[in-house]
Amino acid sequence: MGDQRAVDQDLVDRLAEQIAERGEVLRRRIEAAATADVEVVAVTKGHPAEVAMAARAAGYRSLGENYAQELRDKAPYLDGVDWHFVGRLQSNKVRMIAPVTAVWQSLDRTSVIDEVAKRCPGAAVMIQVDLAGIGGRGGCDRDDAAGLVAHAAEKGLRVRGLMGVGPPGDPEDSREGFAWLAAEAGSLGLADVSMGMSADLEVALSAGATMVRVGSALVGERPPR
């Protein structure tokens, strides 16, 4: 691994067992609430590389990261992973993670769409829609979603679907937004709807999520920074 730090393999093994146990609980939650086949993206934001390695060892191929530098630094430790970038994306960070990102989930404006198309022709992408109305969290206005999907397709990107983040607080507060997102994806002929995290998983699944982004319920709470 060149200049990378040594990996604590014993820690990886212990964590993999814990993640596998949590994964059984997660599987039962999904089976009880899902209306369709569901892909789980294990989000390892804020965790060391060992956690991502443990998630892969526990059988999770799709891993998610919110920060470009974390993704860049973790990716060399793992093989056989489809990295999903799920955080707010800045155009100047696209180049940093272009070689390792399999799915760009958080495209929300033409500038980042254009940069991804330039750096990763034909890449798999999703358009993030603002469902919570909270500044700084990312996502386009609902009225702009269809136009951004069309723009991404015109740029040669493979638009898999729409992504959204529910508001904090009561999971039921996410229901209207999740239902809208699933309906909009269907009207646009898109296969995937990425919505739902550890806390609001059941609401998202009942609304038609095909992909959930799970962090703490699967890999544990993030260590303090």
Side-chain angles (χ1 to χ4, degrees):
M1 293 187 181
D3 295 332
Q4 296 172 45
R5 65 173 177 80
V7 169
D8 185 341
Q9 189 60 48
D10 288 340
L11 176 60
V12 172
D13 294 341
R14 292 196 304 273
L15 291 171
E17 291 181 4
Q18 295 172 10
I19 291 171
E21 291 172 359
R22 295 188 190 108
E24 280 301 303
V25 176
L26 178 63
R27 179 184 61 80
R28 291 193 292 271
R29 289 177 66 186
I30 290 173
E31 288 180 349
T35 60
D37 291 337
V38 177
E39 178 180 355
V40 175
V41 178
V43 179
T44 58
K45 174 180 78 170
H47 289 279
E50 281 87 352
V51 172
M53 296 173 70
R56 182 68 187 99
Y60 293 92
R61 181 183 181 91
S62 297
L63 302 184
E65 284 293 335
N66 288 64
Y67 302 114
Q69 186 169 339
E70 278 197 49
L71 173 52
R72 180 198 64 188
D73 293 346
K74 288 177 189 175
Y77 288 90
L78 290 94
D79 294 319
V81 167
D82 291 332
W83 287 104
H84 291 234
F85 190 78
V86 300
R88 190 84 189 269
L89 183 61
Q90 298 174 334
S91 297
N92 62 0
K93 297 295 178 65
V94 171
R95 182 177 183 178
M96 178 189 296
I97 56 175
V100 297
T101 302
V103 183
W104 304 81
Q105 284 209 31
S106 53
L107 305 191
D108 61 0
R109 53 202 188 280
T110 56
S111 60
V112 293
I113 290 172
D114 293 349
E115 188 67 15
V116 170
K118 173 184 174 182
R119 302 287 180 184
C120 305
V125 305
M126 307 185 84
I127 300 302
Q128 181 180 357
V129 183
D130 179 12
L131 302 179
I134 299 175
R137 295 187 64 180
C140 67
D141 290 341
R142 296 187 188 192
D143 291 343
D144 294 335
L148 289 176
V149 167
H151 183 75
E154 289 168 1
K155 289 292 183 176
L157 297 172
R158 181 163 56 90
V159 185
R160 286 185 52 173
L162 302 179
M163 184 268 254
V165 180
D170 187 343
E172 280 298 321
D173 292 342
S174 299
R175 188 172 296 280
E176 182 276 332
F178 287 165
W180 181 91
L181 196 71
E184 182 72 0
S187 71
L188 295 172
L190 301 174
D192 285 311
V193 187
S194 174
M195 58 189 186
M197 298 185 286
S198 296
D200 55 12
L201 188 72
E202 283 78 8
V203 175
L205 291 169
S206 66
T210 66
M211 183 184 298
V212 292
R213 309 177 306 277
V214 183
S216 59
L218 190 58
V219 300
E221 296 293 336
R222 293 192 299 275
R225 287 183 174 271

